[in-house]
Amino acid sequence: MDKTEAFLDVSIWREQNGDGHFETYQVPRRANQTILDVVAWVQQQADPTLSYRFACRVGMCGSCAMMVNGAPRWTCRTHVLKVAEGASLEIAPLRNLPVIKDLVVDMDPFFDKWVAADAVFAPSQTRDDPMAPITPDDTMRIAADDAIECINCAVCYAACDVVAANPDYLGPAALNRSWSLVNDSRDAGQAERLQAVSAVGGCHNCHSQQGCAKFCPNELNPTLSISGLKRATAKSLLRWGR
Amino acid sequence: MLTLRLYFAQRLTALIMAPLTLGHLAVMIYAVQGGLSVAEILARTQGSVAWFLFYGGFVVAVAVHAAIGLRVVVSEWLGVRGIALSVFSLVVLATLLLLGGRAVWAVTFAGGGL
């Protein structure tokens, strides 16, 4: 971006009741400005009816993801300088999810798939049992470490072309969470989980294109987790003998 | 669309096809380098259980592998789902088995040349 430009030309997707279009706003440039700063300026100074979602503003909560110049980004930690093309920005709601209004998408399909992927901890012990000892150098613990820092922002889900082509596909985030639980030695629901990720929209639909890994703001690699699930389910198929 | 069993069948057939493809290439180079005529090639393949199993196995692996692969393409690009998708996959499987099987049979056990 040309640093001498005093204003940014910002196109923002406006949508209500299924009827959507881009609207353009002139937003003053600021030092160290983030995409979320730009959206907040428009809502506070230009059009208070603009709807968008955010919470922590420090890259922890996973609320503020949007499409910025066609790519999914966590907007609170994305600097305008790094993604603007010239002085122009195009900000749209996350891909692959239904729009509620403007930049706010319905996250239900995303989280429903976490449940469908059985990405929920199944305890094997009660609160009366002693703490399960898991050492940091445990192989399973190390495999879980690679997958565990997900903030549920749905950037990977928006980046995934398989999700776009196949609405049944569980998506990178849900499968990544399942993989972290497959590596949890305290979990008692492994057989059910492997069956859940082997169903029609399961891990085997992944083309290993790695759009998820390219855009994950926490630099996780869900494709790697999904390939782990493919290996684990293939081994279990040999065990089940079906 | 792709379940564990379909995924497994596609990977398994890929494993089978890899050495068979290399074998097929070697045979082609041998036949061309040696200047074998059609009659000489048929003389080697007619009545041969080994060649029948080699190319028969190849045809089965290709038919299964391609039917599953095209199933994914048709589903993702054309939005075909459900029974229509299964029918499409089975038609591709049957067509490839028929075409390939007919060719293998012709050069091994059909007799009387082509």
Side-chain angles (χ1 to χ4, degrees):
Chain A
M1 195 178 70
D2 183 357
K3 290 184 179 181
T4 60
E5 293 276 352
F7 288 90
L8 291 160
D9 292 319
V10 184
S11 290
I12 296 183
W13 185 256
R14 304 303 307 268
E15 180 171 337
Q16 196 157 13
N17 304 322
D19 187 22
H21 62 279
F22 279 104
E23 237 167 73
T24 309
Y25 303 88
Q26 292 267 305
V27 180
R29 281 181 31 80
R30 298 275 184 267
N32 304 318
Q33 196 172 21
T34 66
I35 301 298
L36 187 62
D37 292 336
V38 169
V39 175
W41 187 93
V42 171
Q43 198 266 336
Q44 288 164 11
Q45 309 294 330
D47 186 348
T49 67
L50 175 66
S51 299
Y52 65 107
R53 197 184 267 139
F54 76 99
C56 75
R57 298 180 295 174
V58 290
M60 291 181 73
C61 74
S63 306
C64 68
M66 299 167 200
M67 302 301 288
V68 182
N69 286 348
R73 306 277 182 201
W74 54 351
T75 57
C76 69
R77 298 286 301 270
T78 303
H79 278 244
V80 169
L81 266 176
K82 287 189 179 159
V83 293
E85 289 161 6
S88 66
L89 279 175
E90 185 189 276
I91 303 173
L94 270 186
R95 182 176 172 239
N96 295 338
L97 287 164
V99 176
I100 296 174
K101 182 176 178 293
D102 301 336
L103 300 171
V104 178
V105 292
D106 181 359
M107 301 286 279
D108 274 358
F110 176 69
F111 286 113
D112 285 347
K113 287 178 177 179
W114 286 54
V115 178
D118 203 6
V120 180
F121 180 64
S124 56
Q125 295 182 312
T126 69
R127 69 185 63 206
D128 302 318
D129 292 309
M131 290 269 285
I134 296 173
T135 57
D137 57 353
D138 183 275
T139 336
M140 285 170 80
R141 172 68 220 193
I142 290 168
D145 271 345
D146 289 338
I148 217 161
E149 295 294 342
C150 174
I151 59 170
N152 322 345
C153 65
V155 160
C156 59
Y157 193 82
C160 179
D161 284 345
V162 181
V163 173
N166 178 4
D168 294 332
Y169 179 49
L170 296 171
L175 293 169
N176 181 70
R177 172 65 181 147
S178 274
W179 175 241
S180 71
L181 288 170
V182 165
N183 287 294
D184 192 332
S185 56
R186 305 164 304 158
D187 189 282
Q190 300 301 357
E192 294 82 1
R193 182 164 302 114
L194 291 182
Q195 295 214 23
V197 300
S198 299
V200 173
C203 62
H204 305 97
N205 292 286
C206 171
H207 291 310
S208 307
Q209 218 169 300
Q210 303 199 64
C212 52
K214 180 176 166 72
F215 289 102
C216 174
N218 276 343
E219 298 181 348
L220 306 185
N221 188 348
T223 309
L224 198 66
S225 301
I226 293 168
S227 65
L229 285 176
K230 287 174 179 171
R231 279 198 307 278
T233 50
K235 279 184 195 159
S236 70
L237 180 70
L238 296 174
R239 272 203 304 276
W240 297 334
R242 37 165 224 143
Chain B
M1 182 179 41
L2 260 198
T3 58
L4 171 57
R5 272 185 258 187
L6 288 172
Y7 167 86
F8 203 79
Q10 202 183 26
R11 290 335 187 249
L12 203 64
T13 48
L15 275 178
I16 293 168
M17 282 193 298
L20 293 182
T21 305
L22 293 175
H24 176 63
L25 286 173
V27 167
M28 282 199 326
I29 291 167
Y30 167 75
V32 171
Q33 296 284 339
L36 290 179
S37 68
V38 172
E40 285 169 330
I41 291 171
L42 282 175
R44 287 164 168 79
T45 59
Q46 287 291 342
S48 165
V49 175
W51 284 122
F52 176 78
L53 289 177
F54 184 92
Y55 280 107
F58 210 156
V59 165
V60 172
V62 166
V64 170
H65 192 84
I68 298 170
L70 287 174
R71 175 191 170 88
V72 174
V73 174
V74 162
S75 171
E76 289 190 0
W77 286 82
L78 302 178
V80 181
R81 301 271 191 278
I83 293 173
L85 187 59
S86 297
V87 169
F88 171 81
S89 311
L90 289 172
V91 167
V92 171
L93 175 74
T95 307
L96 291 175
L97 278 178
L98 190 73
L99 292 174
R102 196 168 158 269
V104 172
W105 188 253
V107 297
T108 53
F109 292 110
L114 289 171

